[in-house]
Amino acid sequence: MTAPGSSGGVDRVRLPAVRGRPRPRDGSRTSGTAPRPAGRSGTPWLHLAPALVVLGGLLAYPVYQLGLISLFHYTQAQVSGGEPTTFQGLGNYGELFADEQFWQVLLTTVLFAAACVASTLAVGCALAVLLTRVRAVPRLALMLAALGAWATPAVTGSTVWLLLFDADFGPVNRILGLGDHSWTYGRYSAFSLVLLEVVWCSFPFVMVTVHAGIRAVPAEVLEAAALDGASQWRVWRSVLAPMLRPILVVVTIQSVIWDFKVFTQIYVMTGGGGIAGQNLVLNVYAYQKAFASSQYGLGAAIGVVMLLILLAVTLVYLRLLRRRGEEL
């Protein structure tokens, strides 16, 4: 038997659709976001203000002066006051871009920096993983050795590496049986020697930073990967690397900036750019134009070009990560 008014079945009760959030009983409206404490939005900027002022004085003004000098014909005659300074506009940039040597040095700098960044990241990440696998005493010894390399000044480190690979008295040639082989004579051997020194003094930053990120990864995640039979390489590629991507972004950008503007190692180990300038990079090339040739305006133009290249690389890299939905 059915209830009166029914059509032979159980009546379906339709509830009205609820739109939005329910109102409180007191009649007040609620918003979709949590209330923000009053006056808190500007607090981080107040804490950052002293550092921003210092950075503005140390970075903004020198960059302004660099760009200003690049627009003038500024040589030793203008520095000594013998001739007036003349405005050239983009004349220094036109002369620079018309120089075939500039494009060769730029290509060399890009390839050398890419090799240094890739090698530094590979060595740093490998040793960071190794630190999580060894006991306390070897881990402490490796950390102290790495920090010692990191704290060594670039001039001192470059001189030590030159002594190690010296053609006459270096122990490396004796151990390898190479006789009086000169590592700094050939173009590629000199670049390889400089690359080793750059990686030696740069990998500790990557190692310490990535190791700190690995220590923050929950142990349960690594244990689950081990139980599934994942190899060390698979754990790094599929588990650690995605979780450490924000840290890897930071160390990659920092390494690109450092290795693109390498100066001391090239200048010391190749004697100012190698034989006939075969080991020139942009920083050494700018130094030669500005100080060896007294073309300060042209040297400043090279510095501005380097600054714009580094800004473009950093912004493009961050934009690609944002498109992939990565949180930075």
Side-chain angles (χ1 to χ4, degrees), residues 226-311:
L227 291 176
D228 290 340
S231 62
Q232 295 295 330
W233 168 247
R234 187 57 184 267
V235 170
W236 168 260
R237 188 184 67 178
S238 302
V239 179
L240 290 177
M243 299 182 70
L244 298 176
R245 188 169 284 117
I247 295 177
L248 295 177
V249 169
V250 173
V251 297
T252 300
I253 294 176
Q254 191 68 50
S255 298
V256 168
I257 295 174
W258 283 346
D259 297 338
F260 191 82
K261 60 184 186 67
V262 165
F263 173 81
T264 304
Q265 292 88 344
I266 290 287
Y267 191 83
V268 173
M269 301 179 72
T270 64
I275 301 174
Q278 64 181 2
N279 297 112
L280 283 177
V281 292
L282 276 181
N283 243 353
V284 180
Y285 182 65
Y287 176 85
Q288 289 188 353
K289 290 295 183 182
F291 297 101
S293 303
S294 298
Q295 299 178 359
Y296 302 108
L298 191 60
I302 299 174
V304 172
V305 171
M306 290 182 60
L307 176 63
L308 294 178
I309 291 175
L310 289 176
L311 286 177

Side-chain angles (χ1 to χ4, degrees), residues 42-55:
T43 302
W45 292 105
L46 292 177
H47 291 293
L48 292 174
L52 293 177
V53 172
V54 174
L55 289 177

Side-chain angles (χ1 to χ4, degrees), residues 68-217:
L68 186 63
I69 293 175
S70 68
L71 302 177
F72 287 86
H73 179 70
Y74 199 69
T75 62
Q76 188 62 38
Q78 283 74 31
V79 174
S80 60
E83 295 181 7
T85 303
T86 56
F87 180 76
Q88 283 193 333
L90 300 179
N92 287 324
Y93 295 94
E95 180 181 353
L96 182 65
F97 295 150
D99 188 3
E100 183 179 355
Q101 186 183 17
F102 166 75
W103 296 106
Q104 295 176 355
V105 174
L106 177 60
L107 178 60
T108 301
T109 305
V110 171
L111 295 178
F112 178 72
C116 289
V117 171
S119 302
T120 302
L121 291 177
V123 174
C125 292
L127 291 179
V129 176
L130 178 63
L131 286 176
T132 63
R133 303 295 178 182
V134 297
R135 296 182 180 273
V137 175
R139 180 168 62 247
L140 179 61
L142 180 57
M143 291 286 288
L144 291 177
L147 293 178
W150 193 12
T152 303
V155 175
T156 305
S158 301
T159 305
V160 171
W161 276 78
L162 277 180
L163 293 176
L164 292 175
F165 288 84
D166 185 75
D168 298 322
F169 308 104
V172 175
N173 281 357
R174 295 183 180 181
I175 294 174
L176 298 179
L178 297 178
D180 58 350
H181 173 72
S182 176
W183 291 84
T184 58
Y185 182 79
R187 182 187 185 190
Y188 297 105
S189 61
F191 269 128
S192 300
L193 183 59
V194 176
L195 183 145
L196 292 176
E197 202 280 335
V198 170
V199 172
W200 174 77
C201 66
S202 301
F203 83 86
F205 171 74
V206 178
M207 184 190 73
V208 173
T209 307
V210 174
H211 177 255
I214 294 176
R215 298 285 292 181
V217 175

